[in-house]
């Protein structure tokens, strides 16, 4: 026991050894919450003699679950394999695999991703004669997802919004969508949790089984739970009440996904006997960074309250930089990264921004500056066309009733099956109330001239289904790629893109073999499930030596020695829309808190006087969050205008008038003439000696201009326009 508790600070010690019953751990950023969670589980096993079979630990990402399992294996040995350490979706999927028949589903249901959902909704709208140009598919999906997160069925949706014309359309699509999913023997991500809650509410014997099984439940990132997740946890823990939730109300930033901050704020109201412990000692950041975060978040009223501190020392001041526009901002960040990369790995630096469209200027400047970088929100491996095509085959093999996967795979590679024939097969299936695959197998003669080719496809699927359980997973995936003719079609093209696709398919085979080696049950069904549950953040490779660019929402849970937060402007961060939403500014402030606390050693916060938004130039004030950072821990590093090496910040430019300029050892009085040059920040220019470059700063000085230019081949130079003889490119 002494070894288990060694190294814990007093509050961590209290959390690990807290008595049975409800436990709320308010864990500030970088306070060691994963360590507390894993040590508490080990303490329950070693000191309380709790069976590992009776522990359910829930996280939000596969990455977090894998980290927790790895730590518990070190602490508890093989007992870690006997616990349920899963994501919300993973835990619900495991429960539904055993019990989905209670809800009308058949064994082997598939999980639809975003792309599959769009396909189904579009088809539903077509059947309902709803114009998807007037009612966007993404709007329907958003409304449906929100309803499911709130545990609202199509019928309840109608009762709530029956008099609203637009909402009534959404309800019709929602109802048809659910009907289609059931017919396809498929669920979407939201269904996994909603259906599990339904299962528990409608089948007491199933609920009792899992209540008796999981006597101790621990939930990570509780501030991010939505209503459906809250109900799931509440149902499971209502009787034994051994529920431990860990979270930070100050990091609740996913309201747009349905997260409800009230779940953590009101936890003590539901469980009145709760033990509450605050983890405030930070092991990640310097005190100046923490003071900045504390200074911002204390302006929120809807919070439990805590104050982060560290033993790591004051550290560097937070650097604030004002740029003329988004390109000058990007140039500053690129320049600073090139300075820092001499002593800091590129992978230790990140640029955060509020919205994805901010990445464009940054990516352009990074390319010009030769800075290796990657945008985390880019296309995921499993979203690539060739990967989704083969995965569609695998989905059909485990569940032939999956119409979406049949439609995707049946003509990949091309088999000469036309759109008219597919529509005919779809019509037959719909009229007879059967799946598309069944229609192909049993009614191919009624489909038309492509019926025989469709039947060949079905024969191929049946042949592969027979072999699925007899071959090793990696070998089977390779066989599917070859047997379907997919590989041969790519090899026939013999172009760069096809070769890249072939390489990706090779990586898919490698991944299947790795799954086969690491999983006890390496069945095709389990493999397909594991791919369905992969998230963006799970693909993040911390070892790749390049600067990462990502939205602040994507950065939650990560940390970097050097952080840049770009676009700290009113109307951008906080967003303009947040000003008109309930709790909008408070959520944006929590987002600022998350962004600031990603930094370990150095933090740069930048903003621009103006930037183009949807093609129009907008002028912004600095973000309110910058002013909320205490003066003692920040430093404005924006250079002051200079002339001839001397500060001329008090020198007034504009209309012609008499001005006095202190220059070297004498005072010169002169009358300004209108500026003859019109260079602006962001302009591309050419110099006789230095070649092409980009204007970083442009300051009028009498009838001349002082320019700071980043030349492609010679770096930054300070020039006076009258002597430089520049031409615009």
């Amino acid at each position: 026991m002494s070894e288990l508790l060694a190294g814990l600070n007093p509050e961590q010690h209290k959390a690990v050894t807290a008595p049975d019953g409800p436990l709320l751990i308010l864990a500030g950023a970088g306070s060691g919450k994963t360590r507390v969670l894993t040590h508490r589980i080990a303490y329950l096993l070693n000191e309380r003699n709790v069976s590992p079979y009776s522990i359910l630990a829930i996280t939000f990402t596969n990455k977090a679950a894998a980290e927790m399992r790895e730590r518990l294996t070190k602490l508890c040995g093989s007992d870690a394999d006997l616990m349920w350490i899963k994501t919300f979706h993973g835990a619900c999927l495991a429960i539904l695999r055993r019990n989905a028949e209670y809800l009308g589903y058949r064994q082997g249901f598939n999980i639809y991703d975003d792309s599959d959902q769009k396909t189904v909704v579009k088809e539903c709208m077509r059947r309902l004669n709803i114009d998807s140009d007037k009612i966007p598919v993404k709007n329907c999906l958003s409304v449906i997802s929100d309803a499911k997160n709130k545990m609202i069925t199509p019928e309840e949706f109608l009762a709530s919004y029956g008099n609203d014309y637009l909402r009534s359309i959404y309800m019709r699509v929602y109802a048809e969508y659910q009907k289609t999913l059931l017919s396809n023997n498929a669920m979407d991500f939201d269904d996994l949790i909603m259906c599990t809650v339904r299962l528990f509410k409608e089948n007491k014997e199933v609920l009792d089984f899992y209540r008796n099984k999981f006597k101790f439940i621990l939930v990570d990132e509780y501030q991010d739970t939505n209503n459906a997740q809250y109900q799931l946890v509440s149902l499971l823990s209502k009787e034994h009440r051994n529920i431990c939730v860990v979270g930070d109300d100050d990091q609740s930033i996913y309201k747009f996904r349905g997260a409800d901050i009230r779940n953590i704020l009101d936890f003590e109201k539901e469980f009145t006997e709760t033990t509450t412990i605050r983890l405030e000692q930070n092991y990640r950041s310097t005190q100046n960074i923490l003071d900045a975060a504390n200074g911002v978040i204390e302006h929120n009223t809807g919070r439990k309250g805590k104050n982060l501190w560290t033993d790591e020392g004051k550290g560097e001041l937070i650097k604030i930089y004002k740029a003329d526009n988004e390109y000058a901002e990007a140039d500053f960040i690129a320049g600073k990264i090139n300075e820092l990369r001499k002593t800091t790995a590129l992978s230790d630096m990140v640029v955060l921004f509020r919205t994805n469209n901010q990445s464009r200027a940054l990516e352009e400047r990074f390319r010009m500056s030769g800075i290796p970088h990657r945008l985390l929100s880019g296309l995921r491996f499993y979203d690539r066309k060739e990967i989704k095509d083969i995965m569609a085959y695998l989905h059909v093999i485990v569940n032939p009733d999956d119409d979406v996967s049949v439609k995707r795979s049946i003509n990949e590679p091309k088999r000469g099956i036309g759109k008219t024939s597919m529509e005919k097969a779809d019509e037959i299936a719909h009229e007879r109330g059967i799946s598309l695959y069944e229609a192909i197998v049993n009614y191919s003669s009624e489909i038309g001239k492509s019926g025989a080719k469709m039947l060949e496809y079905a024969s191929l699927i049946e042949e592969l289904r027979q072999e699925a359980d007899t071959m090793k997973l990696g070998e089977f995936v390779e066989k599917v790629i070859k047997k379907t003719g997919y590989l041969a079609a790519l090899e026939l093209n013999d172009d760069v893109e096809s070769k890249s696709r072939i390489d990706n398919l090779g990586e898919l085979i490698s991944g299947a073999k790795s799954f086969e080696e690491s999983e006890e049950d390496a069945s095709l069904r389990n493999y397909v499930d594991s791919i369905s549950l992969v998230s963006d953040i799970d693909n993040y490779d911390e070892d790749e030596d390049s600067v990462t660019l990502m939205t602040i929402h994507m950065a939650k849970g990560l940390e970097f020695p050097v952080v840049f937060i770009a676009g700290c402007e009113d109307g951008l961060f906080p967003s303009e829309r947040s000003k008109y939403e309930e709790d909008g500014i408070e959520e944006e402030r929590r987002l600022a808190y998350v962004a600031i606390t990603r930094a370990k050693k150095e933090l740069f916060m930048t903003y621009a006087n103006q930037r183009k938004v949807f093609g129009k130039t907008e002028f912004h004030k600095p973000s309110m969050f910058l002013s909320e950072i205490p003066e003692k821990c920040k430093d404005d590093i924006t250079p002051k205008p200079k002339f001839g090496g001397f500060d001329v910040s008090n020198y007034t430019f504009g209309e012609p008038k008499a001005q006095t300029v202190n220059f070297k050892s004498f005072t010169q009085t002169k009358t300004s003439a209108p500026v003859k040059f019109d260079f602006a920040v962001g302009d591309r220019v050419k110099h006789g000696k230095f070649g092409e470059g980009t204007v970083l700063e442009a300051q009028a000085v009498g009838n001349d201009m002082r320019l700071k230019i980043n030349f492609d081949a010679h770096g930054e130079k300070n020039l006076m326009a009258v002597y430089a003889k520049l031409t615009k490119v």
Side-chain angles (χ1 to χ4, degrees), residues 632-648:
K632 66 177 182 178
C633 55
K634 64 184 177 183
D635 179 24
D636 186 343
I637 61 170
T638 308
K640 295 178 180 179
K642 293 191 176 187
F643 177 63
F646 287 80
D647 188 348
V648 292

Side-chain angles (χ1 to χ4, degrees), residues 546-594:
S546 60
V547 177
T548 303
L549 289 80
M550 67 174 93
T551 64
I552 301 168
H553 282 101
M554 289 287 291
K556 188 168 174 291
L558 302 176
E559 58 184 50
F560 298 84
V562 180
V563 171
F564 296 84
I565 306 174
C568 298
E569 298 145 34
D570 183 53
L572 184 58
F573 189 31
S575 68
E576 189 67 28
R577 187 172 61 180
S578 68
K579 300 174 185 178
Y580 308 102
E581 296 177 343
E582 183 182 1
D583 188 39
I585 293 296
E586 295 222 342
E587 172 119 349
E588 292 284 299
R589 190 173 279 116
R590 292 193 290 269
L591 197 57
Y593 175 86
V594 167

Side-chain angles (χ1 to χ4, degrees), residues 78-94:
S78 59
D79 280 351
D81 296 328
L82 307 179
M83 309 171 200
W84 273 37
I85 306 169
K86 298 179 180 290
T87 63
F88 270 102
H89 293 99
C92 289
L93 177 59

Side-chain angles (χ1 to χ4, degrees), residues 139-266:
N139 289 12
C140 290
L141 279 169
S142 178
V143 171
I144 291 170
S145 178
D146 185 61
K148 290 184 178 184
N149 287 337
K150 295 175 180 175
M151 293 299 299
I152 300 173
T153 65
E155 296 75 24
E156 292 168 337
F157 194 92
L158 176 63
S160 300
Y161 303 105
N163 296 326
D164 186 310
Y165 172 72
L166 185 58
R167 291 277 173 168
S168 67
I169 292 178
Y170 290 145
M171 183 281 302
R172 290 169 57 208
V173 176
Y174 183 11
E176 184 69 16
Y177 174 72
Q178 287 305 104
K179 178 182 173 183
T180 304
L181 286 182
L182 187 60
S183 173
N184 289 2
N185 198 31
M187 297 184 189
D188 63 24
F189 264 67
D190 296 321
D191 280 327
L192 293 177
I193 299 174
M194 185 180 187
C195 286
T196 304
V197 174
R198 267 189 57 211
L199 174 72
F200 287 164
K201 288 184 174 180
E202 296 171 9
N203 299 275
K204 188 175 185 302
E205 68 277 15
V206 178
L207 175 59
D208 286 343
F209 172 82
Y210 286 101
R211 275 181 174 171
N212 290 329
K213 174 175 174 54
F214 300 125
K215 294 183 172 62
F216 288 85
I217 299 174
L218 302 96
V219 185
D220 193 12
E221 305 286 9
Y222 192 66
Q223 78 281 346
D224 293 335
T225 54
N226 58 35
N227 184 262
Q229 292 161 334
Y230 158 75
Q231 289 195 41
L232 176 74
V233 172
S234 185
L235 282 167
L236 284 172
S237 60
K238 195 166 187 177
E239 288 192 1
H240 58 67
R241 303 178 80 77
N242 288 321
I243 171 72
C244 168
V245 300
V246 182
D248 184 358
D249 50 309
D250 291 332
Q251 295 190 70
S252 179
I253 60 172
Y254 295 123
K255 184 180 179 181
F256 70 99
R257 291 183 188 169
D260 191 343
I261 193 173
R262 291 174 300 178
N263 292 345
I264 191 167
L265 293 180
D266 295 343

